[in-house]
Structures are given as structure tokens and as C-alpha cells.
Amino acid sequence: MKEFFRGMKAGIPIALGYLSVSFTFGITAVSYGMTWWEAVLISMTCVTSAGQFSGIKTMLVPGQFIDMLISQFTINIRYSFMSISLSQKVNEKFRGIWRWIFGFIITDEIFAVAVSEDSVSRSFMAGLGSLPYLGWSLGTLLGAILGNVLPATVMSALGLAIYGMFVAIVVPEMKKVRPVIIVVILAAILSTCFTYIPLLKEVSPGLAISICAIAAAVIGAVFFPVKDNEGGAE
């Protein structure tokens, strides 16, 4: 239990951040015509901020199932890589079905905390993921129910929460790795093109996100390859 409570303590800041961001998701989902329970169900079964925001936008356009599949795969494939990386740090009891269960709650922030551990136990991972999961689900519920009650100014301010979380994730890496700055700027430019250029803005939101992410990542990998410990490019 000691490891469980240590994990819960480490997850408190993540839970508080998720509470505000998922509140925004709840507001957005209801504004798009979803019921409160549909918004909560999405958060409880997905736990992916960018994927959920992108997904509900794609849902507005009937028949865009292929676009949704491509965008969700592109946005969420990183969790698979995080899980593979984290699997190298789990202890001997962390195997079988437990990897499947805890792989579900892997997010950028949870991974960042877990990977800093010398050894990750099942109890620590359960504690680390419990509060963020509850925060994400509860925030969605509150946003979906209270979205029409709060003043417009408060709702507008909460609408910026998702961007604040992304900035908090990206900026530290931009400070440590210079090429990340170029990749981020390139992705922003491409996204702007798909928003304002006449022909490109006809592309569905889900497909546009995938194109921007893949194009920026490929250019970054080609021109700024990461070197391994032996000096060769990976």
C-alpha cells in the first residue's frame, strides 16, 4: 500500500490539470450536440485529450469514419511507444494482464512521471493512474453539466485550458532540444494552411491533423535525426 499511496501523491498534480482540461472537453462535447453521459462515456473509455477533441470535431461530419480512424491512429500511436518504453522499467510482478490494464491509463504526463522511476511496480502505477483518471472523468461530467450555467467569460477562459496543457508539454522539450522548435513551428504553419487556404481548408479536420503531424515529424526525422549512444543516427 505504501507504493500505491506514493503513486497517488505523484498523480495529484496531473489530476488537477486534467480536471480543468476535461471540463473544457465536457463543455465542447455538449456544445456539439452530445448528451452529458455520452461525453463522460468518451472520457472514461478513451482518456486521450487530443484524440477526444479531434474525434468530436470529426463526428460533426457524417460518414467521416476513415478520417477519424486515420486521425486517431496518428494522434494516439505515441501511447504504444510510451508503453513499450515503460515496459523496460517495470518489475517482475508487472506482467500479463496487468500490462494490458495499466497500458489503458498511459498518458503523456503519467508516462513522464512513471519513466522517471528506477523500477515501476503495479501498486505504484495503480496509484499514479487512479486520480488522473478520476479527474479526467469528473472534469468532463462537471463541464457537460455546468457548461450552460457558468458565465460566458468563465467558459471562454476554460476553453484555453487545453492549449495551456499542450504548451506545458511542448515547451520544456523545445528548451532542451532545439530542432523540436522547428518541428513545432512547421506543424503550426501547416495547420494554419489547412485552416485558411481555400483548397486545403476543405480537408476534414481529422485528416488535416494527421497530415500536419506526420509531415512535421518526417521532416524533423530527416533533417534532425537523433543520434544513439554510439554516434549513429537512429
Side-chain angles (χ1 to χ4, degrees):
M1 292 299 291
K2 181 179 179 181
E3 282 290 288
F4 178 80
F5 286 116
R6 190 171 71 86
M8 286 188 68
K9 183 178 179 181
I12 291 175
I14 301 175
L16 293 176
Y18 283 1
L19 188 67
S20 61
V21 175
S22 61
F23 192 99
T24 306
F25 174 75
I27 293 174
T28 304
V30 170
S31 69
Y32 284 174
M34 293 184 176
T35 62
W36 67 266
W37 66 265
E38 288 173 331
V40 174
L41 183 62
I42 290 174
S43 284
M44 293 183 68
T45 55
C46 295
V47 198
T48 164
S49 56
Q52 290 179 211
F53 278 92
S54 171
I56 60 175
K57 288 182 180 179
T58 309
M59 290 178 187
L60 292 177
V61 185
Q64 297 294 324
F65 300 113
I66 299 300
D67 287 354
M68 181 179 293
L69 175 64
I70 294 174
S71 64
Q72 293 303 308
F73 178 82
T74 305
I75 292 171
N76 297 320
I77 189 63
R78 70 186 189 278
Y79 296 129
S80 298
F81 298 132
M82 290 178 187
S83 297
I84 293 172
S85 174
L86 190 59
S87 69
Q88 309 304 310
K89 287 203 168 191
V90 298
N91 61 22
E92 65 279 358
K93 294 183 179 180
F94 208 139
R95 61 179 62 182
I97 190 64
W98 293 106
R99 296 196 179 197
W100 288 78
I101 293 173
F102 291 117
F104 169 72
I105 60 173
I106 288 290
T107 64
D108 301 290
E109 295 78 15
I110 290 175
F111 169 77
V113 173
V115 80
S116 65
E117 295 285 310
D118 294 329
S119 178
V120 180
S121 66
R122 292 181 301 183
S123 297
F124 177 81
M125 198 65 185
L128 178 62
S130 58
L131 290 183
Y133 180 77
L134 290 175
W136 187 255
S137 302
L138 178 60
T140 301
L141 175 62
L142 294 176
I145 295 176
L146 301 177
N148 294 326
V149 177
L150 295 176
T153 52
V154 175
M155 291 179 60
S156 298
L158 289 170
L160 297 176
I162 182 67
Y163 303 106
M165 190 185 76
F166 289 149
V167 169
I169 294 173
V170 174
V171 169
E173 290 300 317
M174 293 173 67
K175 290 181 177 180
K176 292 189 294 184
V177 185
R178 290 284 182 105
V180 173
I181 299 176
I182 298 176
V183 173
V184 170
I185 293 175
L186 178 60
I189 293 174
L190 290 174
S191 180
T192 302
C193 291
F194 278 96
T195 302
Y196 295 106
I197 294 180
L199 291 179
L200 294 180
K201 69 180 183 180
E202 300 300 324
V203 178
S204 65
L207 187 57
I209 290 174
S210 300
I211 294 173
C212 295
I214 294 174
V218 169
I219 293 175
V222 171
F223 290 98
F224 310 104
V226 177
K227 295 182 179 181
D228 58 24
N229 293 333
E230 297 180 358
E234 291 183 337

